[in-house]
Amino acid sequence: MTNWSSSPPRLSKSRYLAGLQCHKRLFFDVHSPELATKMDAQRRAILDMGTGIGELARGCFPDGKLVTADHRHSKDALEQTAAFLNDPTVPAIFEAAIQHEGTFIRVDVLERVEPESWRLIEVKASSRMKRVHLDDVAVQSYVLQGSGMAIVGSFLMHINRRYDYGGGELVLKELFSIEEVTEAVAERLSAVPQRLANLRGILSQAVPPVVEPDGHCHTPFECHYWDYCTKQKPDRWIYNLPGSHEFVRALMRENVETIDNIPSSTSLTILQQRMKNNVEWISPDLSQRLRSVQYPVHHLDFETTMPAIPRYEGTRPYQPLPVQWSNHIESADASLRHESYLCLEAKDPREELAVSVLESLGEEGSICVYSEYEKYVLKSLADAFPALRKDLLRLVDRLWDLLEVLQEHYYHPAFKGSFSMKSVLPALVPSLGYDDLEIREGASASVFYHRMVFVESDWVERQRIAHALHDYCARDTLGMVELRKALRVRADMFQEEAQQ
C-alpha cells in the first residue's frame, strides 16, 4: 500500500492530457514513472524538435520576455511571471507560469493586447490542428481565467507546410500559421473543472485504476507504459489481429481473448484467416513471380529525413528529403556486390544522390524494393531535377516490389500478421535480423542523420554515426537478397511436394 501525502500531487497541463488519454497512465506518471519504457533516441528527438520550434516561434513576438526558471523552480517561475505581467512595457511573455487551484501551467506565449488583457498562444510542431490541441489550450485558458487574467482570444500556432523556403533567413510569419480557436476552446471550458476533480481523485487512490490496453494507448500519443501493461497478455492476444480496431473490440466484448478463440462463424479477411490458421501458406504462383526478375537484380533502399524547419532552398517543412541509398546487386551467377551513398555534409544532397543512384542502377535489371516508398522518392527527384527526369522515371518502370509478392503469395506464422521487414526478415532469415544494429528502423535513422550533420561537432562521433547509418541501410537491401533466396527455396519445395 502506497502512502500519499495529505494533499494530492499538483496537476499540470501535461498530466491533464495524460489523464484524458488514460487514467492509469496519469497514475503511473505521478506515482510509478519507473515503469515506463526507457525513452529512445526517436522520442527524445521529437521532444527536442518541439522545444526548438517553440523557441523559434518567439521570434514572431519582438521584445517578448522569457521566464527562465525551469520546472524544478516553480516558485521562481511564478514570481518572474508576475513581474512581467505587472510591467506594461512587456509585449509578450514566453513560458509564463500560472497556478490556479492546484493546477500549474506553462504557457508558450502570452501576448499583451491591452494593459490588462492577453492572447493565449500555444505553439505546436505539427502542421495542423488536432483535437488534443484544443484540450491543451482549454486547460490553460481555465487556469489563466481562474487566476483572474482577462483572456480575449485563444490561438494555435503551428508549422505551415506550404512555406517555400527561399534560402537565407527564415520568414517566420510565413513559416508559422496562427489559427484562432477561441470558440472551440470555450465549448470545452465547462468540462475542465470536473475533469480536474476526477483526475485528482485518481491520484488520491492507493492503487492504479483498472484500464485494459486498447486503441487509446496509441492516440493521441504513444503510451510509454504499453510494454508494462501488456507483458502478461498471451502471445496470440486478440488485440494483435490485423484489421479495424472496432472489429477487434467487438470480439473483445464477446470475451474472445486470443486469435485461436475466434469463433469459426466469424467473417475474417484473408490475412486474418491466415493468422488464425497459424500455418505457413504458399501460393502456387510464388515460384513464377520470383523468377520474373531480370538480372542483374538491384536491391534498392532509400533513407530520408523530414526536417520540420526547412534548411535547403526550394524545400518545405516536413518535405521528405533522401539522404542515403543502398544497393545490393545480384548477378545471374549469384555473385553479389554492394554500392551505397550517404551525404555527410549539411547540404541539399538530392541532385548528387540522384546522379549517384542512376549510375549504380544503370540501365539493366530489375530493381527490387520493399514498398512503394522508393517509387515516391524517385518521382520526387524527377520533379525536382528536370534534366534527370527521363532517366529517373525509367528507373520507376524497372521497380519490382518484393513486399507485394509476399502479401499476395506467402504467409508465415512468425509474421504475426505483419509484413514489415522487421517482422519478415527474422522469420525467414533468422541469422539476419536487426537486433545487432545500433539503428533498427527508419525513424531512428532520420534522427541520427540530423544529429550527425547538424548537431555533432566531434568527427569521431560523426564517423561512428555514419557507420551505423551505412549498416542499417545495407541491412535492408541485403535482407531483400536473402528474402528472395529463402522464398525461392520454399517455392521449390512446394512445387516438388505438389508433383509427388
Side-chain angles (χ1 to χ4, degrees):
M1 181 78 66
T2 305
N3 293 317
W4 312 131
S5 61
S6 57
S7 59
R10 183 173 62 183
L11 287 173
S12 63
K13 71 171 185 176
S14 61
R15 288 178 175 178
Y16 177 79
L17 296 177
L20 293 189
Q21 179 172 354
C22 175
H23 288 171
K24 183 186 284 189
R25 175 177 182 168
L26 171 65
F27 187 95
F28 284 160
D29 275 351
V30 174
H31 299 308
S32 303
E34 71 280 359
L35 300 178
T37 301
K38 186 178 179 181
M39 185 178 297
D40 58 17
Q42 179 185 348
R43 189 167 143 222
R44 170 54 62 189
I46 291 172
L47 294 177
D48 290 344
M49 179 185 68
T51 299
I53 288 174
E55 293 172 353
L56 187 64
R58 296 168 193 165
C60 294
F61 306 91
D63 301 319
K65 299 297 183 181
L66 173 66
V67 176
T68 56
D70 63 19
H71 66 281
R72 296 183 183 87
H73 302 88
S74 56
K75 182 179 178 182
D76 293 340
L78 290 167
E79 292 175 353
Q80 289 181 28
T81 300
F84 290 147
L85 289 172
N86 293 326
D87 184 350
T89 67
V90 175
I93 306 172
F94 310 131
E95 292 298 318
I98 306 291
Q99 184 168 263
H100 172 62
E101 293 181 346
T103 303
F104 180 86
I105 62 170
R106 299 294 291 262
V107 184
D108 288 336
V109 183
L110 273 177
E111 185 182 27
R112 195 185 298 268
V113 180
E114 298 291 342
E116 299 297 330
S117 60
W118 302 82
R119 290 192 183 99
L120 161 60
I121 302 173
E122 173 70 11
V123 181
K124 295 297 182 185
S126 64
S127 60
R128 60 183 177 85
M129 183 184 72
K130 302 175 183 178
R131 186 172 64 181
V132 66
H133 297 163
L134 297 177
D135 290 321
D136 189 335
V137 177
V139 71
Q140 293 183 65
S141 183
Y142 171 78
V143 171
L144 291 170
Q145 294 183 36
S147 68
M149 294 184 61
I151 304 300
V152 297
S154 298
F155 299 81
L156 280 172
M157 189 174 184
H158 51 75
I159 298 293
N160 172 22
R161 294 191 72 158
R162 296 183 178 181
Y163 171 55
D164 192 348
Y165 176 51
E169 279 195 35
L170 292 163
V171 182
L172 296 182
K173 295 291 186 181
E174 296 179 13
L175 173 64
F176 289 101
S177 295
I178 298 183
E179 183 175 359
E180 183 167 5
V181 293
T182 305
E183 290 186 9
V185 168
E187 294 173 0
R188 284 167 162 74
L189 273 177
S190 61
V192 173
Q194 187 58 54
R195 285 176 169 176
L196 288 170
N198 292 341
L199 298 182
R200 290 191 181 94
I202 293 296
L203 293 178
S204 68
Q205 295 175 5
V207 295
V210 177
V211 182
E212 278 296 305
D214 203 341
H216 67 268
C217 300
H218 310 289
T219 182
F221 311 109
E222 287 291 334
C223 180
H224 37 276
Y225 299 103
W226 173 261
D227 290 343
Y228 176 80
C229 290
T230 60
K231 64 182 181 179
Q232 301 298 329
K233 295 299 180 182
D235 184 55
R236 285 171 60 75
W237 181 31
I238 189 65
Y239 187 84
N240 295 324
L241 184 74
S244 74
H245 289 306
E246 184 50 43
F247 176 73
V248 173
R249 278 194 288 269
L251 291 172
M252 288 179 171
R253 287 193 294 269
E254 296 175 10
N255 296 318
V256 177
E257 186 178 10
T258 69
I259 295 170
D260 300 313
N261 298 140
I262 298 174
S264 57
S265 59
T266 305
S267 177
L268 301 174
T269 66
I270 292 176
L271 179 56
Q272 289 170 343
Q273 189 61 57
R274 287 176 185 157
M275 194 172 181
K276 184 177 187 296
N277 293 341
N278 204 30
V279 295
E280 184 180 36
W281 172 81
I282 301 175
S283 161
D285 297 325
L286 176 60
S287 180
Q288 180 181 352
R289 288 288 286 114
L290 291 172
R291 297 183 191 282
S292 67
V293 296
Q294 301 294 315
Y295 286 91
V297 183
H298 303 265
H299 301 78
L300 176 67
D301 179 66
F302 286 113
E303 296 301 330
T304 59
T305 184
M306 297 173 58
I309 308 302
R311 294 178 176 272
Y312 309 125
E313 184 176 351
T315 63
R316 293 184 170 88
Y318 292 116
Q319 178 179 339
L321 301 174
V323 296
Q324 179 182 12
W325 58 259
S326 172
N327 181 18
H328 272 89
I329 307 162
E330 182 186 20
S331 300
D333 62 2
S335 62
L336 193 67
R337 74 178 191 275
H338 179 235
E339 297 176 354
S340 63
Y341 169 90
L342 173 64
C343 182
L344 299 173
E345 304 172 44
K347 66 176 184 179
D348 186 346
R350 290 177 298 165
E351 185 170 11
E352 183 177 274
L353 177 145
V355 171
S356 66
V357 80
L358 281 167
E359 181 178 347
S360 179
L361 295 171
E363 298 181 359
E364 296 182 341
S366 299
I367 303 172
C368 179
V369 295
Y370 201 83
S371 81
E372 293 271 313
Y373 196 62
E374 276 59 40
K375 179 189 290 188
Y376 165 80
V377 172
L378 290 170
K379 286 186 173 182
S380 69
L381 290 170
D383 291 340
F385 303 103
L388 303 175
R389 180 176 178 81
K390 288 184 179 179
D391 292 334
L392 289 166
L393 292 181
R394 277 196 286 268
L395 298 181
V396 173
D397 294 335
R398 292 162 53 196
L399 295 181
W400 188 89
D401 192 345
L402 180 56
L403 172 60
E404 181 182 298
V405 172
L406 269 168
Q407 289 174 326
E408 294 181 0
H409 300 286
Y410 184 80
Y411 182 78
H412 193 284
F415 292 177
K416 296 183 178 180
S418 171
F419 284 94
S420 74
M421 182 73 81
K422 309 307 178 292
S423 298
V424 168
L425 187 58
L428 296 184
V429 190
S431 62
L432 201 64
Y434 289 81
D435 289 345
D436 62 315
L437 301 180
E438 179 179 5
I439 300 172
R440 301 175 186 177
E441 40 85 29
S444 292
S446 178
V447 168
F448 274 89
Y449 181 81
H450 181 274
R451 177 181 157 196
M452 179 183 73
V453 298
F454 296 118
V455 179
E456 192 59 60
S457 58
D458 184 282
W459 71 270
V460 175
E461 180 62 12
R462 287 169 59 91
Q463 189 175 50
R464 188 192 67 78
I465 294 174
H467 281 306
L469 288 165
H470 274 296
D471 289 346
Y472 169 69
C473 198
R475 183 63 52 88
D476 276 347
T477 53
L478 179 59
M480 285 188 272
V481 175
E482 297 302 324
L483 279 176
R484 287 180 49 246
K485 290 181 181 178
L487 287 170
R488 284 201 302 269
V489 170
R490 283 165 166 78
D492 290 345
M493 291 176 59
F494 175 83
Q495 285 193 327
E496 290 176 5
E497 292 174 359
Q499 292 171 359
Q500 293 177 356

